[in-house]
Amino acid sequence: MISVAVPVPLRRTFDYRSEVDIKPGSRVLIPFAHRHLVGVVVPVPPDKSVRKHKNVIHVLDDRPSISPTMLEFYTWSANYYHHPIGEVIHAALPPNLRKAVKLYDPDTPEYYMQNSDIPEHEALSMITRAPKQEQLYSSLSKGKCLCFDEIQKLPQVSDIRNIRGGLQNLTKKGLVIQTHRPAGDLRPFEGTLNPEQSEALSNIKAAEQGFHTHLIHGITGSGKTEIYLQAIHDCLKQGQQVLVLVPEISLTEQLVERFVNRFGDRVHCYHSGINKAQRYRTWWKARNGTAGVILGTRSAVFMPILDLARIVVDEEHDLSFKQMDGFRYHARDLAIKRASLHDVPIILGSATPSIESMQNAHSGKYHLSTLRKRAGEANLPKIQFVDLRQQPTQHGLSPSLISAIRKQLENSQQTILYINRRGYAPIAECPNCKWRACCDRCDTYLTYHKTSNRLCCHYCGKTFETPEICPQCRSGLFFRGAGTQRIEESLGNLFPDASILRFDRDRIRSFRQLRDTLDAINSGQADIIVGTRMISKGHDFHGVTLVGIINADQGLFSIDFRAPEQLFQDLLQVSGRSGRGQDPGRVFIQTHHPDNPYMEMVRNQDYDSFFESCREERKLAHVPPFSSFALWRVESRERQDGFRFLRTVKQYGDSLLASMNLAAVKIMDPVDSPILRIDEWHRFQLLVNSTTRAHLHQLLKHWVYSVESIPNNQKLRWSLDIDPMEMY
Ligand code: ADP
Ligand code: ZN
Ligand code: ZN
């Protein structure tokens, strides 16, 4: 009898019978409620009391695909997030292995070179009447491995249509060898670290042995990445492996290039921008130890790694590390747990560390290194405010910002304009009767998109025809406010000769488009880039010397206690894109509230004061990191069902709490979510907080089981969010 973790939303394992002995960590195909599912054998004692058990249909792994350490890590994650273990393991596996396929070696030789044993004249005599093959053969060299992509780009073969076929023929004749590329030498840094960098690196090295967390707080462009590179270099020299997590795919590209430059083919990626076969290959190589660096977005935290020596989490403050639906985990937090399980050090880096991490550094839980100067020649940009109370804007742009952009164009320098809103205008309304276009599935306003001339809901994705006139009083409609498209249009009118590039999710839909767009920015083709938060993070563009922030006030008066932190991080991060090359950078921030204390700290780029005041506020309010949160979310088709369900949830919690004597825990009342209806689901939430994390989890462990047993139907769904990062 074996216990199997099955990918279904139930917090338990299921027992099956098997003729053969199956090791924990092996994938098996099992019958489950009229379906066949892929589950994973887990080391949980089967329940002997049950008589009737179904048989395993098929054992998919000859050797377990999941090691005992990884199984322990997945189990810990499931327990911490109170999420079904079957779903956790399912999310952790590469997509290919979620299906009923056997493990396979994807490591086919991918590189080509001339066969060095056959002299050239002899080889050429073997290619008769095939000029294209001859051409292809001559474009390769002995001893130099090229992959297919590289061969395709060679000018000598630009007129050959079927390169792959040609290579196959040459390989069959033995003239070309298909092989693996040797990893090559590790290339050292050619410059010298500045004193702050050297100190940080020696701090990291000094604490070398075993698990500990090191936080690098280094302003934008201070050379944090260079420190990661050197720390990683040392591990690779020993033949060990390193896991590197970044928040966004858009950041992997640039980082991969820098990493490959130094570490060659040891670098392997894992994120949704690469295809499933490539993800499987990374998984395979990570697991057998041949991938030196595994670089990926949040789900890479689950990669099995044979000889893990170190973990790096870049931009650790970034909210994208939090998975916001399904299995809601925080990849940075899991990375820290993972480092402790493997007993290896972990480096977190950021220009604007999260309040949580900095608090841990202050309390001595993390080691801290600080970099206050930009690396190399560059300096921090100068930030100035444009007071919107005194300067009226023209379609979002103030006269000061317009003239600054004009100067940029005259001097052939690049500008980034940041506005965290896609589309043309966030509101379509009637100036006469105040009618506003709303989504019929959500309680939200519709955003006007000029490119498609449609009204779009940014919550459910539904789009609507744009009415010519107000449906209530037949006046003409007015589009209020600005998004990226409107700013792009205004710039086009103001600067007809400039090349303007929009950088948002509507324009960049694929990894390829992303790559091309980044190339266009780096090569200087784009004069002005108008972008959402996508553009604000981590990029190292050397030609940008002006950043304009169209509207800094979003979020200044939000009810969410994390809003000031998010605002500060956004403004400082996007400002940090300015002046990273040789020329000094400037930042213009348009705001109605230049006197707001947080704005003042942004202007002074004063993280320390910002941290202090945030910390004091949170301490007084008893919110994280001074307490732990869990948030129940319920969604229902009928409004009253969800609320009723959540009231039952609360009752169960209250009575458990009364019997368990956990004084630190407080259960709030169920409330409507800030956006009450999305995609025809009514939404409610219930907040639980505790000054002691352990108490919270003790309660939740029992609570979640009792909630799971409440009869439920298709018209209601619920979830539990541990350490929620947003309250919507
Ligand atoms: P961060 O990761 O903190 O934003 P980077 O590591 O990307 O900073 O460094 C910013 C720029 O400075 C990069 O172009 C990098 O190559 C360069 N750089 C980093 N360290 C040094 C150094 N010690 N000397 C000269 N240039 C450096
Ligand atoms: Zn009207
Ligand atoms: Zn909608």
Side-chain angles (χ1 to χ4, degrees), residues 26 106 112 129 171 186 244 309 319 340-341 343 347 372 443-444 453 525 587 630 646 654 716 719 723:
S26 307
Y112 299 87
R129 278 174 290 145
T171 315
L186 294 167
V244 180
L319 286 187
S340 90
L341 274 179
D343 197 26
I347 305 174
R372 298 181 191 279
D443 292 333
T444 54
N453 189 30
Q525 275 171 50
V587 180
L646 205 50
D654 283 340
L716 188 140
S719 62
D723 308 326

Side-chain angles (χ1 to χ4, degrees), residues 534-549:
M534 263 175 105
I535 193 81
S536 74
K537 302 176 177 181
H539 300 286
D540 192 21
F541 305 128
H542 281 207
V544 176
T545 49
L546 174 67
V547 165
I549 294 165

Side-chain angles (χ1 to χ4, degrees), residues 198-215 231 234-235 309-310 339 343-347 364-369:
S198 309
E199 195 187 322
L201 187 64
S202 55
N203 283 345
I204 288 169
K205 286 189 180 172
E208 199 65 25
Q209 294 300 314
F211 166 66
H212 65 271
T213 309
H214 200 106
L215 176 64
D234 290 350
C235 301
R310 193 184 282 287
D343 197 26
V344 297
I346 175 168
I347 305 174
K365 225 172 129 184
Y366 297 173
H367 301 229
L368 177 68
S369 292

Side-chain angles (χ1 to χ4, degrees), residues 429-436 469-477:
E429 77 177 3
C430 167
N432 183 35
C433 73
K434 299 295 171 218
W435 174 87
R436 277 185 181 183
I469 47 172
C470 168
Q472 284 192 153
C473 75
R474 315 190 68 76
S475 313
L477 281 190

